[in-house]
Amino acid sequence: MLDVRRLQVLRAVVTSGTVTAAAAHLGYTPSAVSQQVSALEKQAGTALLERVGRGVRPTAAGLLLTEHAALISAAVARAETALADLRAGRTGRLSVRYFATAGSSLVAPALARLREEHPGVRIDVELADPGDPFREVAAGRADLAVVVRPRDHRTGDGDSKGGVRMVRLLHDPYAAVLPAGHPLAGQEVLDLHELAGEQWVGSEPPGPCLEPVLDSCAAAGFSPDFVIQSEDYATAQGFVAAGLGVGLMPGLALRTPHPGVVVRRVRNPEPVRVISAAARKTSLEQPALLALLDALRNAATAAGPPGPPDAHAPD
């Protein structure tokens, strides 16, 4: 393989016209320049320069390699510029995964802010439901994912595990969703065990969003009797409004409640899911990803806790 540095020395000699002038431009001695050209000629297997008076001129092979040396130099310059743009966050590409209820409240405003601050960065966004988007980051298929973890999950804010850093964004408590005419609808707060004898509408697939519901019900001494399963919150609210059961749903899913349901806080215990950002530690070197994390924190602060449950009651 031809030595790239020697090609650049040859180019300096050809463009300067003499070995002495090339040496002065490169900061080498004339002897060092001659040695570099001789070594390159051995690699090329042919003469690259010929003497003309006090100067030199390239042979056909020397001219060919000089032209390619110029192309190589330009490519390296472009690579350095591209690298500088990437490190400064002016360009690049991020792969983001999210789950459905985080989309409108957290991911959309965060991405809008990122686009304003880093317009040259391409963002590939995919919905990861019904799977756990954490796996996409852990497997290296995504740079960042908005994920759900139970409140008592061992990985806390800023913790790292398996090459992934977790950044806590928001605590999202679950609330009871009841038909408007339900006997418990008049209470402002429900003890969870009061729902033990009810038929339930499921709104969560198996996974991290269902775990807080099942764990809290177990702590209250019962297992929910799911008679209807729906993995869509709007549909689940429709089933509840029709009087087919009750449910527990997270606050982010209840910002636009069905007009036929009432939403009430629960306690003893209150199920809570923790929404976090999971980011690959190697991707944290990218300014755009750090900016996205900051934008997600701001979106989480703006989203805040859901409003008072009685604010969701029908008129």
Side-chain angles (χ1 to χ4, degrees), residues 112-132:
R113 174 175 167 180
L114 182 67
R115 180 174 293 180
E116 290 180 359
E117 297 178 353
H118 298 270
V121 176
R122 177 184 174 90
I123 311 295
D124 296 326
V125 187
E126 290 185 19
L127 177 67
D129 281 347
D132 182 358

Side-chain angles (χ1 to χ4, degrees), residues 61-200:
L63 183 60
L64 174 69
L65 291 185
T66 298
E67 292 172 349
H68 280 281
L71 294 175
I72 292 171
S73 180
V76 170
R78 289 195 300 271
E80 290 175 341
T81 299
L83 179 60
D85 287 341
L86 178 66
R87 294 180 64 181
R90 291 186 290 269
T91 61
R93 186 170 188 156
L94 292 178
S95 178
V96 178
R97 302 290 184 269
Y98 70 100
F99 63 95
T101 51
S104 61
S105 299
L106 300 180
V107 177
L111 292 181
R113 174 175 167 180
L114 182 67
R115 180 174 293 180
E116 290 180 359
E117 297 178 353
H118 298 270
V121 176
R122 177 184 174 90
I123 311 295
D124 296 326
V125 187
E126 290 185 19
L127 177 67
D129 281 347
D132 182 358
F134 179 86
R135 299 172 189 167
E136 295 290 292
V137 178
R141 293 188 292 267
D143 297 298
L144 180 143
V146 179
V147 302
V148 170
R149 288 293 179 265
R151 176 163 48 184
D152 59 352
H153 194 264
R154 288 173 294 176
T155 305
D157 186 30
D159 289 346
S160 298
K161 185 177 181 179
V164 179
R165 182 183 177 189
M166 300 294 293
V167 177
R168 190 167 296 174
L169 299 174
L170 181 69
H171 282 218
D172 192 19
Y174 288 68
V177 182
L178 311 172
H182 194 279
L184 297 176
Q187 298 180 203
E188 292 187 2
V189 184
L190 304 179
D191 287 315
L192 188 54
H193 71 81
E194 295 182 83
L195 301 177
E198 301 284 343
Q199 293 185 322
W200 283 58

Side-chain angles (χ1 to χ4, degrees), residues 204-284:
E204 310 282 1
C209 290
L210 182 60
E211 290 172 9
V213 173
L214 298 180
D215 292 346
S216 295
C217 289
F222 72 98
S223 295
D225 177 20
F226 292 110
V227 296
I228 296 177
Q229 289 287 350
S230 171
E231 297 182 2
D232 173 81
Y233 291 117
T235 302
Q237 289 186 55
F239 284 127
V240 173
L244 301 177
V246 302
L248 285 179
M249 301 181 197
L252 287 183
L254 296 171
R255 295 187 176 276
T256 306
H258 190 288
V261 305
V262 293
V263 179
R264 295 291 181 259
R265 293 201 337 260
V266 293
R267 64 187 177 191
N268 298 324
E270 178 186 53
V272 174
R273 66 179 184 177
V274 177
I275 299 176
S276 301
R280 293 173 61 196
K281 288 191 288 185
T282 54
S283 299
L284 290 172

